[in-house]
Structures are given as structure tokens and as C-alpha cells.
Amino acid sequence: MGLIEKLLAGVQSLLPQHLLSRLVYAFMRIRLAPVKNTQIALIGSMVGVEWAEAKIQNISEFEHFNAFFTRELVEGIRPIDPDPQSFVSPSDGRISQSGRITRDRILQAKGKTYSIRSLLANDPASGEFENGYFHTIYLSPRDYHRVHMPLDGKLQRMIHVPGRLFSVAPYTVRQVPNLFSRNERVISLFETTHGLMAVVLVGAMLVSSMETVWSGLVTPPRGRKISRLDWSRRDIELKKGQEMGRFNMGSTVILLLPPGAVAAIEHYESGDDVVVGQKLGRLR
């Protein structure tokens, strides 16, 4: 199994990752009814989408496949944990890894770690998360693809980091060193009453774009330079459970909190399912 995983991961490094993602971007926005309806019905059934959770039930009402992929859910179907001291899952998906950050190192997979500073593109605030806490959540194609706030926060800055687009499927995470700090990503830094919080949306193979509610589409377009935007004077304040962004295709969300913010975290094993609003831990 390990050899097969290494071969599959190696093949990805040879593929035109961004070109494939741009093609998917166009393909998932075809508006011709017979095509997009077939895409929705076929792919939705293949990946096991929970149709009953979708606010729109008639596939013909979706503008294109991507509108279905980023579908809104029935109101109230993802209740937000009511404990005012809790922080919650920002997305549906599976826990990839979670726990304590060791100095500057985050666990990626068994035997593999990577640096907070590299993940956050050497942002000056990177040091605030040393010895803090993290949760890495993998979204599969069947999952709800909107990302929500883990706790109340005021947006300080957003960083777009160009990079590779390796798959973030579990086998790739096990095989590709520093994957999350090599892939393209959108970093959002929020000031909270418990210190700084980072929510990182990680791009991946065939993830055709990422969006935030305050800036709209972030990727594409893509460039080679890191983009750092100061939003601290815009008074963008989002409440726990409020939508903050979305993936157009599956990927990974990484949540970082500083050491002084967290009193305890819930026990999750790698591979455990979580949903938006589910309690991840308790704040001090």
C-alpha cells in the first residue's frame, strides 16, 4: 500500500495541476441544462450527497454544477453548539489531525510535521500560535462546502499564497512532505476576545476556486506573488457559525488558535466525522 501511495503521489507532481483545475473550473460552470443536470445527478449520486439536507431539492433549479456543489443547506440543519465558551468546526468533513502544536510544528500525518511560519507565509503573527492548538479537517466531494466561523472574530488580514495543487486526499497527505504549506491557500486572520485565530483554506487538485464572503472569488485568478490585504479598518465582524467562505470542489480547512485561548479540546481520532457547528473544544 505504501509503495502504491508513493507512486500515485509522484504522478501528481508531474501533472499540470493548475491547468487541470482551470479546466474543471469551466466544466463545473456549464449552464446547458442537459449537461449540468446530468453532472449533478450522476456525480451527486456517485459521491453520496445527502440530498435531504439541501435547501434546493430540484436539480434543474441549480444554475450549474458548482452552484449545486456549494449548495445552501436547510435552515437549522447544522445547529451551532450553544456553549458561549465553545469553538466549533468550521466545516463538514473528517478530522485529518488535531491537537497541540509543538513549538512551531504541526502534525500533518504520522511521522510528518510542517511549520506554522511556512503555512502562514511568514506572517509576523505566526509566533502567536506556537504551542497552541490546531484542527485539520478534510472535505470530501460529498460534503457541504461552505466554511463557517469557529468563534466570533474581526477580520484583520487575508493572505493569498500561490502554490502547488496536490490532492489533499489522506494518501497524499501521508506521502507529500509539507503538503499544506506547499499548496495554494487563502489565510484569514481574525482578532477574537481570546487572541488571534487563523482559518486557512487549502487549495488542492481540481479545486477550481476558493471564495470569502468579504472579497468574493480569490482564486482564480492566480499569480506567482503572495497577496497580503489589510482588512482591519473595514470592520468586518463575523459571529460564530456565520459563513466566511467556500470551496468550489473539496479540500482542507486548518484552524489555528493560540495557547492561551484554549481550555480543553474534544477528543477526536484521525478520520472521525465532524459537521459545521460541532464542538471542537472550550475556550478559557
Side-chain angles (χ1 to χ4, degrees):
M1 181 65 73
L3 178 59
I4 293 174
E5 288 186 354
K6 287 180 181 179
L7 289 172
L8 291 173
V11 167
Q12 288 185 38
S13 66
L14 302 175
L15 293 174
Q17 297 172 346
H18 288 88
L19 174 60
L20 290 173
S21 294
R22 286 194 293 271
L23 292 173
V24 168
Y25 181 90
F27 182 65
M28 295 308 181
R29 286 162 177 76
I30 295 173
R31 289 173 168 79
L32 191 63
V35 177
K36 59 97 174 176
N37 290 346
T38 300
Q39 288 175 322
I40 294 169
L42 181 62
I43 299 175
S45 297
M46 284 175 60
V47 301
V49 167
E50 292 288 346
W51 291 95
E53 294 183 343
K55 188 172 183 178
I56 297 176
Q57 291 286 307
N58 187 344
I59 62 175
S60 64
E61 294 182 31
F62 289 105
E63 183 181 8
H64 40 57
F65 180 85
N66 190 68
F68 158 74
F69 203 82
T70 57
R71 62 197 173 276
E72 186 178 0
L73 299 185
V74 174
E75 187 174 351
I77 207 164
R78 292 287 185 275
I80 307 303
D81 184 84
D83 182 353
Q85 290 300 108
S86 71
F87 63 95
V88 301
S89 177
S91 69
D92 286 10
R94 284 183 289 170
I95 297 289
S96 175
Q97 299 291 340
S98 65
R100 197 74 188 254
I101 299 166
T102 305
R103 296 179 184 172
D104 176 55
R105 307 298 295 183
I106 304 176
L107 182 63
Q108 175 176 306
K110 186 177 181 180
K112 286 185 171 61
T113 63
Y114 63 100
S115 162
I116 295 173
R117 293 185 184 279
S118 60
L119 177 69
L120 300 183
N122 294 310
D123 187 88
S126 299
E128 295 188 31
F129 298 105
E130 289 186 6
N131 298 310
Y133 294 84
F134 79 100
H135 287 78
T136 304
I137 302 170
Y138 165 68
L139 292 76
S140 72
R142 69 177 172 84
D143 291 316
Y144 169 63
H145 273 70
R146 300 191 185 193
V147 181
H148 295 248
M149 291 290 287
L151 66 153
D152 297 358
K154 181 179 179 182
L155 182 65
Q156 298 300 298
R157 54 193 174 278
M158 183 179 77
I159 307 165
H160 169 232
V161 186
R164 301 300 302 274
L165 288 175
F166 287 103
S167 164
V168 291
Y171 80 89
T172 318
V173 173
R174 289 191 291 267
Q175 296 299 329
V176 178
N178 304 309
L179 186 149
F180 298 126
S181 58
R182 293 170 66 183
N183 270 18
E184 183 169 22
R185 54 203 180 277
V186 176
I187 302 158
S188 300
L189 293 165
F190 296 90
E191 190 61 50
T192 78
T193 55
H194 299 271
L196 202 63
M197 172 178 72
V199 181
V200 184
L201 279 60
V202 183
M205 183 83 74
L206 307 185
V207 176
S208 53
S209 64
M210 294 177 279
E211 302 177 30
T212 63
V213 297
W214 55 85
S215 66
L217 194 66
V218 180
T219 65
R222 296 182 173 89
R224 295 188 178 184
K225 293 183 178 180
I226 295 174
S227 169
R228 303 176 189 270
L229 299 175
D230 184 353
W231 290 82
S232 60
R233 298 180 181 178
R234 305 287 186 91
D235 293 326
I236 297 173
E237 298 187 39
L238 301 174
K239 297 295 184 182
K240 181 169 77 172
Q242 190 172 348
E243 183 183 344
M244 60 150 291
R246 62 184 66 174
F247 288 109
N248 299 314
M249 295 297 280
S251 195
T252 290
V253 180
I254 301 172
L255 168 65
L256 304 178
L257 289 169
V262 178
I265 60 173
E266 300 291 300
H267 177 72
Y268 290 106
E269 298 286 348
S270 177
D272 284 351
D273 291 329
V274 290
V275 295
V276 167
Q278 185 172 330
K279 186 175 182 179
L280 294 181
R282 204 161 193 277
L283 301 162
R284 293 189 187 278

